[in-house]
Amino acid sequence: MPELTQLQKLKIWLDVPEEDTSKDKKLLLMLDRAADKIKQKRNWAFDQPMEKRWNELQIQVALFMWNKQGAEGETEHNENGVTRKYENADIPASLLNDVTPLAEVVM
């Protein structure tokens, strides 16, 4: 079985049929933004591809963005006993806790 692309994996998580391409542009934007956030935290060059070891995290961040659509700036919401609060309107720092920044040695 050939390896799945990031887009294919994301569509599986979201229960979007592979042949349904109507959401592909938005999903690819989310994957790109997730990769940029990981590279930013990693201090990785934006013109370089993201390291493959962060592929699963990229999917997790994209899923977070998908699920938060329409509630980006929400700070608190109560409905039927359910309370929602968000760290901020962006990707929570806690999602990127496992990303270790690269550092340079200055001599």
Side-chain angles (χ1 to χ4, degrees):
M1 181 172 154
E3 187 175 330
L4 297 172
T5 67
Q6 291 296 89
L7 178 60
Q8 289 170 321
K9 291 176 187 177
L10 185 56
K11 288 173 88 169
I12 290 169
W13 273 103
L14 295 170
D15 291 323
V16 175
E18 189 172 352
E19 61 276 359
D20 179 358
T21 59
S22 65
K23 296 173 180 64
D24 284 8
K25 286 183 182 180
K26 182 181 260 189
L27 294 174
L28 287 168
L29 281 173
M30 290 177 173
L31 287 168
D32 285 347
R33 181 149 186 257
D36 285 348
K37 286 294 189 177
I38 293 166
K39 289 192 279 188
Q40 179 183 19
K41 174 81 186 264
R42 184 93 169 116
N43 295 327
W44 194 257
F46 283 97
D47 62 343
Q48 297 297 313
M50 184 185 70
E51 299 162 281
K52 286 186 182 260
R53 71 184 191 156
W54 303 113
N55 281 357
E56 187 59 35
L57 180 60
Q58 181 188 25
I59 297 290
Q60 290 176 21
V61 173
L63 284 168
F64 173 84
M65 288 188 287
W66 178 269
N67 289 325
K68 198 171 175 186
Q69 289 180 96
E72 290 87 347
E74 190 170 295
T75 57
E76 187 170 339
H77 177 87
N78 296 306
E79 185 177 331
N80 295 327
V82 175
T83 301
R84 294 185 182 115
K85 294 180 183 180
Y86 297 110
E87 288 183 46
N88 56 41
D90 201 15
I91 296 159
S94 59
L95 259 179
L96 301 174
N97 277 348
D98 290 338
V99 179
T100 306
L102 294 173
E104 284 186 34
V105 176
V106 179
M107 299 177 103

